[in-house]
Amino acid sequence: MTVIKCISPVDGSVYAEREAMPLEVAQAIVARAKKAQKAWAKRPLDERVQLVLKGVARLNEMADEVVPEIAWQMGRPVRYGGEFKGFNERSNYVAEIAGSSLAPIVVEASDRFERRIEREPHGVVFVIAPWNYPYMTAINTVAPALMAGNTVIIKHAAQTLLVGERLVRAFNEAGVPEDVFQNVFLDHDTTSALISGNSFDFINFTGSVEGGRAIERAAAGTFTPVGLELGGKDPGYVMEDADLDAAVDTLMDGATYNSGQCCCGIERIYVNEKLYDTFVEKSVAWVSNYKLGNPLDPETTLGPMAHKRFAATVRSQIADAVAKGAKALVDPKLFPADDGGAYVAPQVLVDVDHSMEFMTEETFGPAVGIMKVKSDEEALALMNDCKYGLTVSLWTKDAERAARLGRDLETGTVFMNRADYLDPALCWTGVKETGRGGSLSVIGFHNLTRPKSYHLRKA
């Protein structure tokens, strides 16, 4: 029997472990979900929406348990209070738009014809959720999928092993039927076997590029629709007319919050030559104020990375960049808690370029490179010189300029004067190796349902 373990980044101990389910057990869970789906879909939409919101409220009541659990599992400091702000915001917004998003599109309603397009749930939705924001990323699909009439099976990453279990418990206690929302513990082989066996009607995966490829390979030939959110290397561009202090504050937070472990975190910054020196100076000072330490200490502002192997990638990329001529500007002596393991000091690099992996491959850690540029054209070419495309953060007072640049940017979201934020009213999507599909907004509901056309000629 395979045992799935969560190794805590806090102290390297085994924080939680669960036995991986055998294939036949997992298949039985899928069968129950399929059987329950039709009855769930026949419930009134408002009833489904209210049950989901009750599940959200029930999870909020568990905050005293949830917040330290997250610290133990993936290292986020308890002082930040978990993910409830975004979790609630997204849930509430999709609840508000569920009715309009799922309403029939009426083409004709006359004495001769009724012509309309209705939305039907796919059936059983499989959510494979990541560890970096385990509640917020999961709810992006879980809430609208359940509201739309799907049943949901969730599998979380080993690093946040307890999250799916707790999320399902909260929703079941709030009244969502047990077979409608279920948690599973699966190894990779069993997951692939379920997918290739055409067990699901929609699959949503958030994780690595290689993980996304594995999902697509398993789903090949089943015609199961798949939504993927994968890697990122999101840039910021600071123009000569930017609010410098606001840009520093937002971009440095976007680069380092959650120890840099954010899919839409800022990983590379291009600054107009007129502001470059001041921007770099202020950024180094900003980052140097972090307190790296145990995430259970309320004074800690930067916790460990989720696993020492993730931290090793960050250190390797920094070392490679420095060997190729980059300069690391943050004094490591300010961060005595950096232990060479999961605890990583933040870093700002200059004299970087795109020959360095640090500026082209996902780092996913509390380190960022800053390059000087002379023009929009140069910045645009550098921002697009990447195999990923999730978000771009533009800093200027000129909205028309930002929109003009945005039309040429290869990205899913264009921000102006903000970064590292998911607006639930807008579609969360990416291009290139960042993925396919989209979640939240009305488009998220449409991806979690299928259209059915009615062409009724009256006798």
Side-chain angles (χ1 to χ4, degrees):
M1 179 67 70
T2 301
V3 176
I4 303 172
K5 296 182 179 181
C6 168
I7 307 299
S8 175
V10 175
D11 58 7
S13 65
V14 177
Y15 179 68
E17 56 185 348
R18 296 288 187 272
E19 290 186 353
M21 295 172 175
L23 178 59
E24 58 271 19
V25 172
Q27 289 171 328
I29 287 172
V30 173
R32 293 201 300 272
K34 285 184 180 292
K35 184 177 180 180
Q37 190 270 322
K38 294 295 185 184
W40 174 249
K42 287 180 179 178
R43 293 197 185 197
L45 172 60
D46 185 61
E47 182 180 330
R48 297 195 303 265
V49 168
Q50 291 307 312
L51 282 171
V52 169
L53 291 179
K54 287 179 180 178
V56 169
R58 181 70 188 100
L59 187 76
N60 276 257
E61 293 171 355
M62 300 176 178
D64 289 345
E65 300 166 276
V66 167
V67 173
E69 272 182 358
I70 289 296
W72 277 106
Q73 289 177 92
M74 54 75 63
R76 187 183 306 121
V78 295
R79 68 177 288 130
Y80 298 122
E83 302 169 26
F84 289 104
K85 181 179 179 182
F87 183 84
N88 295 339
E89 179 183 41
R90 298 172 192 188
S91 303
N92 290 334
Y93 184 78
V94 295
E96 290 173 8
I97 67 167
S100 58
S101 299
L102 297 171
I105 300 172
V106 178
V107 178
E108 181 179 358
S110 69
D111 58 354
R112 297 182 63 242
F113 287 99
E114 288 184 22
R115 293 184 294 143
R116 63 182 180 273
I117 303 167
E118 295 187 358
R119 308 297 312 185
E120 289 196 347
H122 286 299
V124 180
V125 172
F126 187 34
V127 177
I128 307 174
W131 51 263
N132 61 323
Y133 283 93
Y135 285 101
M136 286 200 294
T137 52
I139 206 65
N140 291 351
T141 304
V142 169
L146 290 172
M147 291 176 186
N150 299 284
T151 52
V152 174
I153 295 174
I154 189 168
K155 173 193 174 297
H156 253 90
Q159 196 62 51
T160 45
L161 190 60
L162 304 181
V163 171
E165 191 174 66
R166 181 170 288 281
L167 193 57
V168 166
R169 178 186 142 199
F171 276 54
N172 291 163
E173 289 179 0
V176 174
E178 290 185 1
D179 290 345
V180 167
F181 187 24
Q182 300 176 80
N183 177 64
V184 292
F185 299 108
L186 304 175
D187 60 25
H188 294 314
D189 288 344
T190 304
T191 300
S192 294
L194 288 170
I195 293 172
S196 62
N198 209 10
S199 300
F200 307 107
D201 301 296
F202 185 88
I203 300 165
N204 190 85
F205 172 79
T206 305
S208 69
V209 173
E210 286 309 308
R213 290 195 175 107
I215 298 297
E216 285 200 327
R217 284 194 296 269
T222 67
F223 305 114
T224 305
V226 177
L228 302 170
E229 185 191 329
L230 310 174
K233 192 72 182 175
D234 289 6
Y237 173 33
V238 182
M239 301 173 219
E240 73 281 355
D241 66 336
D243 182 328
L244 185 62
D245 288 336
V248 168
D249 185 62
T250 301
L251 293 174
M252 287 303 105
D253 182 67
T256 55
Y257 182 78
N258 204 40
S259 296
Q261 300 166 130
C262 180
C263 56
C264 59
I266 297 297
E267 296 215 357
R268 53 197 174 108
I269 302 173
Y270 307 98
V271 183
N272 181 275
E273 58 185 355
K274 295 178 182 179
L275 298 183
Y276 177 81
D277 290 339
T278 306
F279 182 88
V280 169
E281 180 183 358
K282 287 177 175 287
S283 295
V284 171
W286 196 100
V287 169
S288 297
N289 283 324
Y290 268 120
K291 180 181 177 182
L292 176 66
N294 189 314
L296 298 166
D297 181 348
E299 298 300 315
T300 293
T301 54
L302 191 71
M305 294 190 66
H307 198 284
K308 61 183 180 182
R309 73 176 183 274
F310 306 147
T313 297
V314 177
R315 292 191 176 95
S316 175
Q317 285 192 8
I318 291 174
D320 175 71
V322 170
K324 293 177 179 176
K327 293 180 182 177
L329 299 183
V330 177
D331 185 353
K333 294 179 182 178
L334 296 173
F335 300 94
D338 187 327
D339 61 354
Y343 290 83
V344 181
Q347 192 53 267
V348 173
L349 270 64
V350 294
D351 295 343
V352 289
D353 60 49
H354 282 217
S355 71
M356 302 169 184
E357 190 177 77
F358 182 74
M359 291 297 286
T360 58
E361 288 291 340
E362 188 170 39
T363 302
F364 222 59
V368 65
I370 306 175
M371 285 181 66
K372 183 189 300 183
V373 295
K374 295 181 179 180
S375 66
D376 287 353
E377 291 72 23
E378 182 183 6
L380 178 65
L382 288 166
M383 286 187 283
N384 282 342
D385 181 28
C386 184
K387 61 185 179 182
Y388 306 112
L390 185 58
T391 78
V392 171
S393 178
L394 303 177
W395 288 81
T396 176
K397 295 181 174 67
D398 187 342
E400 290 185 7
R401 181 182 181 186
R404 186 169 63 250
L405 277 168
R407 283 187 281 273
D408 289 324
L409 283 165
E410 298 163 357
T411 189
T413 295
V414 178
F415 289 117
M416 186 180 87
N417 300 332
R418 77 177 313 172
D420 190 23
Y421 173 69
L422 194 159
D423 182 343
L426 300 177
C427 184
W428 193 241
T429 187
V431 300
K432 299 190 277 191
E433 290 191 14
T434 288
R436 59 190 292 185
S439 61
L440 297 174
S441 77
V442 62
I443 293 172
F445 272 109
H446 286 184
N447 285 337
L448 289 164
T449 55
R450 59 178 179 269
K452 177 182 281 187
S453 294
Y454 288 81
H455 192 138
L456 309 178
R457 183 178 182 179
K458 298 179 180 179

